[in-house]
Amino acid sequence: MPVVDVDPEELRDLTGHEEKDDEELKEDLFALGLEFEGWTEDDEFQLEFAPDRLDRLSVEGVARSLRYQYGDDRGVYVPNTNDADWTIQVEESVPEERPYVTGAVIRGVDLDEAALESLIQLQEKLHATMGRKRAKGAIGIHDLTMLKGGSPQEEGGKSIRYTGIEPDGDRFVPLDSNDEMTPADVLTDHPTGETYADLVGEYDRYPAIYDDIGLFSFPPVINGKRTEVTTDSRELFVEMTGTDQWTVDRMLAIVCYALDARGARVEEVNVEYPDRDLVRPDLSTREKSVAHERIESIIGVDFDPEEVVDLFERSGLDAETDEDGDSLVYEVDVPSYRVDVLHPLDLVDDVGRAYGFNDLDPTYPDVGTVGGRHDRSRLEDAARNQLVGLGFEDLLNFHMINEAENFDRMELAPADDAVGAAQPATIREPYSEDYTMLRTWALPSLLMVLENNTHRSYPQDLAEIGFAARVDDAENTGVAERRTVAAVLARHDASYEDAKARLQAIARNFGVDLETPAADHPTFVDGRTADVVIDGETVGVVGEVHPAVLVEHDLELPVAAFEFELDALE
C-alpha cells in the first residue's frame, strides 16, 4: 500500500481550516480511507491509502479531497488552460517500445521548499504506482527558462523534439553529476542510470528530448542538469513519455491539478506525431452512469434523488438525473484526475463515502442462505490433508508460468497427446518474460521448486493442489479451468512404485477405484509410466521423470511424480 508523507500545517493551509488540530485531521483523513501510520522525523503524517486514489499521492490532492468532504468545494473543477505556445515534435526515430509523449507548461508557480518536496514526492509515487517503476510512464519536470525552443510551423511558437538516438550519441550533463555523459555512459556510470538501465538497455535507439541547445532529457532514466528545477523556478515544462498514451495523459492530469492547487497557471502544449496532432494536457471530463436502485441496494439507504446529486457533488463529481425506461439513472461527469472511476460501483463507493459509512445502520442481508464452505473447498482440504499425511510438504505456486518452463523443459509440446499438453491461455502483453501464460499443469512448478532447492537436504517430497487452464472454445470464457493434484518424490531411491503406492493410498481413502495401465509420456521414462485411471476415466499420469528433464533442472537424483484432476476424487 502506498505511503505518503503529508505536513499537517500545509494541509491546514491548503484546506483553509487552521482550526483543525492533528487529531481532528486524522479522523477526517480516516473517513476518506487514509490511515495514519505514524510520524516522520520532520513531524509529518505518514498516510497509507488504497492505491486506486492516485490523485492523493500529494498534499495538494489530499487537501482537495478534504475540501470536498468539508463541503467547501462542490462538483467537478477543471483548471483553465492558456493556449499552446510550445510544441513537442515526435520524430519517426523514436523507439517503438516507448512511442508516446505528452506535456504541459506551468506558469507562475511558487515553489518553496515544501512545495518542491511535495512535487518530487508526487513524481516518485506516480513513477512507482501508475508508471510501473517508470516502465509504463515516466515524468520529466524542467525549468522552462532554461529551454530554448526552435520555431515550429506556427508563427512565434517554440518547440522541442522527442526522438531516438544512438546509445553513444550526444553528450549531456545528467542530474547529480558534473560530467558530460552519453546515454550509454549514464546507464553504466551513474547511480540512477544503473537503477533504470533495464528499461532501455535492450533498445537499438534510446529515447531523448532535445531543444535548440541540445539534449536535455533521457527518459525514462534521468533529466539533464541544465533544466533542473529549484525553489527559484517559476515556470516549468512537464513532459511524460511511456508505452501507453492514456497512462501518461492521466499522470499528467494529476500533476497539473496538484500545481494548479498551488496557484499556478496551466498552459497547453501541442504534440505533433507523424500521423496526428494532439493538444495536451487532456483535462476533459468523461461520463459514467449508475442506477438509483443500485445505489440504494448496495448502500442500504433510501435516498432522494436530490440527496444523491448532492453527495456526488461533495465527492468532486457532477451528476444529472435521467430516465431509463422506468428506472432513474444518474449521468455522472468524472474529472480527468479520477483514474480510479472505472465502473458504476466506483460511483456507488463515492456516494457511500460522502454519506459516511460510519453513519450506516447495520442490517442483516435479505437473503435466505447461510454462508459456508464450498464443496470444492472441502474436497481440496480433504485431499491436502491426505497428501500431508503421506509425508508431502504442501506448496502454493504461481498459476502463471512461461512456455519454456511449461513445455520445453518438460520435453513436452502443446500438440502432444499427453497430460499437460494443451493450447495455453497466453498473456497478450506480459509484464515479465517469466510469466507469459497460465500453466496447463502443475508438475513444471514443482520441478522448478526442486531446481531452486538443490542446496537443501533430501528426501524432498512436495505436493500442490493448484490451478491449471487451457484454451477451449466450448467454454463461455474461451478457457477451461481445473484444479489439479500434483506431487514429486525426490530421493536417491525414488521409483514408480513409490509414487503409485501413494496414489493407491489416496484412492483408498477417498473410496475410488484406481487403475494404472502402462502409457507413454515425453516427461517420463518409457516403461516406467502409467495413466491414472479413476473410476474408469483417465485423469492423470504417474511415473519416473525422464533423465533429460532432470538434467534440464539440474537435478542429480531420481524423481518420481504424479498428477491427476482433483474432481476425480469426488
Side-chain angles (χ1 to χ4, degrees):
M1 301 284 277
V3 175
V4 175
D5 299 338
V6 171
D7 184 350
E9 291 300 327
E10 269 207 294
L11 204 52
R12 281 185 273 267
D13 181 58
L14 289 170
T15 59
H17 284 267
E18 301 290 342
E19 78 283 359
K20 294 280 186 178
D21 61 28
D22 290 345
E23 294 305 316
E24 289 178 302
L25 281 178
K26 291 177 189 177
E27 292 180 6
D28 296 339
L29 291 167
F30 185 77
L32 290 175
L34 298 166
E35 296 192 31
F36 176 75
E37 291 294 305
W39 295 90
T40 69
E41 294 179 355
D42 298 325
D43 294 328
E44 295 181 341
F45 289 168
Q46 287 186 313
L47 302 177
E48 181 183 81
F49 64 96
D52 56 340
R53 289 301 301 266
L54 300 180
D55 57 297
R56 294 174 178 165
L57 287 171
S58 66
V59 64
E60 297 86 1
V62 175
R64 182 191 312 114
S65 294
L66 282 176
R67 287 184 60 81
Y68 279 120
Q69 181 177 334
Y70 296 151
D72 298 330
D73 292 333
R74 302 180 66 84
V76 172
Y77 168 71
V78 179
N80 293 321
T81 56
N82 296 337
D83 292 339
D85 187 41
W86 283 78
T87 297
I88 301 176
Q89 295 177 329
V90 184
E91 299 185 349
E92 293 185 354
S93 60
V94 168
E96 62 181 11
E97 299 92 343
R98 202 174 189 87
Y100 299 104
V101 65
T102 191
V105 168
I106 307 297
R107 299 190 185 273
V109 64
D110 184 10
L111 286 179
D112 57 15
E113 287 290 346
L116 182 56
E117 288 179 5
S118 178
L119 180 59
I120 292 173
Q121 177 178 237
L122 176 59
Q123 181 181 13
E124 292 176 347
K125 297 296 183 181
L126 282 174
H127 279 160
T129 53
M130 198 170 184
R132 303 285 179 84
K133 297 181 180 180
R134 305 193 189 187
K136 195 172 184 179
I139 307 167
I141 304 177
H142 310 273
D143 189 324
L144 182 66
T145 60
M146 302 306 296
L147 294 178
K148 182 179 180 181
S151 296
Q153 297 174 353
E154 291 79 13
E155 184 68 27
K158 302 172 183 177
S159 69
I160 61 175
R161 295 182 296 119
Y162 180 42
T163 186
I165 63 172
E166 296 295 326
D168 292 319
D170 291 335
R171 307 174 73 86
F172 74 116
V173 179
L175 287 172
D176 302 321
S177 176
N178 294 316
D179 301 324
E180 285 194 341
M181 299 181 178
T182 65
D185 293 336
V186 171
L187 300 187
T188 57
D189 301 332
H190 193 288
T192 302
E194 293 175 5
T195 300
Y196 297 103
D198 61 320
L199 296 181
V200 297
E202 301 299 322
Y203 291 6
D204 294 331
R205 297 176 65 83
Y206 290 168
I209 302 180
Y210 284 77
D211 66 352
D212 258 16
I213 298 175
L215 174 63
F216 70 89
S217 181
F218 174 26
V221 181
I222 197 167
N223 294 336
K225 191 170 185 177
R226 168 164 62 95
T227 61
E228 181 177 6
V229 175
T230 68
T231 53
D232 295 326
S233 302
R234 293 294 176 266
E235 297 187 343
L236 309 177
F237 194 101
V238 183
E239 46 83 7
M240 301 188 188
T241 64
T243 61
D244 176 71
Q245 187 73 53
W246 184 91
T247 297
V248 293
D249 282 341
R250 297 287 74 75
M251 291 170 68
L252 179 63
I254 292 172
V255 172
C256 287
Y257 268 89
L259 291 169
D260 175 80
R262 295 281 182 180
R265 299 189 309 278
V266 179
E267 182 175 291
E268 294 174 344
V269 167
N270 293 318
V271 180
E272 295 182 355
Y273 286 98
D275 59 346
R276 67 191 189 283
D277 294 341
L278 303 175
V279 177
R280 291 296 184 264
D282 179 10
L283 303 181
S284 60
T285 61
R286 63 190 190 281
E287 191 172 275
K288 296 284 183 180
S289 61
V290 61
H292 182 86
E293 181 183 3
R294 192 170 196 182
I295 295 173
E296 289 188 332
S297 64
I298 293 176
I299 298 178
V301 176
D302 293 332
F303 288 113
D304 292 328
E306 295 79 8
E307 185 179 7
V308 175
V309 171
D310 176 71
L311 293 171
F312 274 127
E313 291 179 352
R314 286 180 51 203
S315 301
L317 311 173
D318 284 337
E320 294 182 356
T321 57
D322 194 9
E323 298 290 337
D324 183 10
D326 295 331
S327 300
L328 177 64
V329 175
Y330 299 94
E331 302 296 341
V332 183
D333 285 334
V334 182
S336 56
Y337 65 83
R338 287 295 303 276
V339 297
D340 60 301
V341 180
L342 305 174
H343 188 274
L345 286 177
D346 298 315
L347 300 176
V348 177
D349 179 75
D350 274 4
V351 171
R353 198 167 292 280
Y355 180 82
F357 288 131
N358 291 336
D359 295 331
L360 298 177
D361 294 325
T363 58
Y364 285 102
D366 186 20
V367 295
T369 61
V370 178
R373 299 290 296 274
H374 192 280
D375 288 342
R376 186 186 68 186
S377 177
R378 294 178 187 275
L379 180 62
E380 285 186 23
D381 282 353
R384 187 172 288 110
N385 288 336
Q386 290 294 324
L387 289 166
V388 172
L390 291 169
F392 289 102
E393 185 173 349
D394 184 41
L395 299 183
L396 178 62
N397 286 303
F398 292 126
H399 299 157
M400 294 184 66
I401 200 169
N402 60 61
E403 285 83 353
E405 296 288 357
N406 193 84
F407 296 119
D408 299 345
R409 301 186 73 202
M410 302 296 288
E411 299 291 319
L412 185 67
D416 289 342
D417 183 16
V419 172
Q423 183 181 353
T426 57
I427 309 303
R428 181 174 297 173
E429 296 182 8
Y431 182 70
S432 167
E433 293 180 355
D434 294 331
Y435 307 107
T436 60
M437 54 169 276
L438 293 173
R439 65 184 183 184
T440 59
W441 58 328
L443 273 182
S445 299
L446 295 183
L447 287 175
M448 290 167 64
V449 174
L450 289 177
E451 182 179 14
N452 292 326
N453 282 337
T454 55
H455 61 290
R456 298 191 178 277
S457 61
Y458 291 93
Q460 293 182 27
D461 297 347
L462 311 176
E464 178 182 5
I465 299 177
F467 173 91
R470 58 182 172 81
V471 172
D472 187 347
D473 294 335
E475 297 288 338
N476 291 332
T477 61
V479 176
E481 304 174 3
R482 62 188 177 89
R483 308 298 288 186
T484 184
V485 181
V488 292
L489 299 126
R491 54 182 69 196
H492 75 280
D493 58 351
S495 67
Y496 166 80
E497 288 78 14
D498 294 324
K500 179 179 176 180
R502 285 159 176 78
L503 268 178
Q504 289 173 326
I506 294 172
R508 182 170 57 251
N509 287 323
F510 276 88
V512 296
D513 293 327
L514 172 69
E515 297 176 67
T516 53
D520 295 324
H521 193 292
T523 302
F524 297 90
V525 177
D526 291 343
R528 306 292 290 169
T529 307
D531 285 333
V532 176
V533 180
I534 295 180
D535 290 340
E537 183 178 354
T538 302
V539 294
V541 64
V542 58
E544 296 176 10
V545 177
H546 197 282
V549 177
L550 298 179
V551 170
E552 178 65 32
H553 290 84
D554 295 326
L555 300 175
E556 298 180 354
L557 75 176
V559 175
F562 61 80
E563 179 163 350
F564 64 91
E565 295 180 13
L566 174 66
D567 291 346
L569 299 178
E570 289 182 329

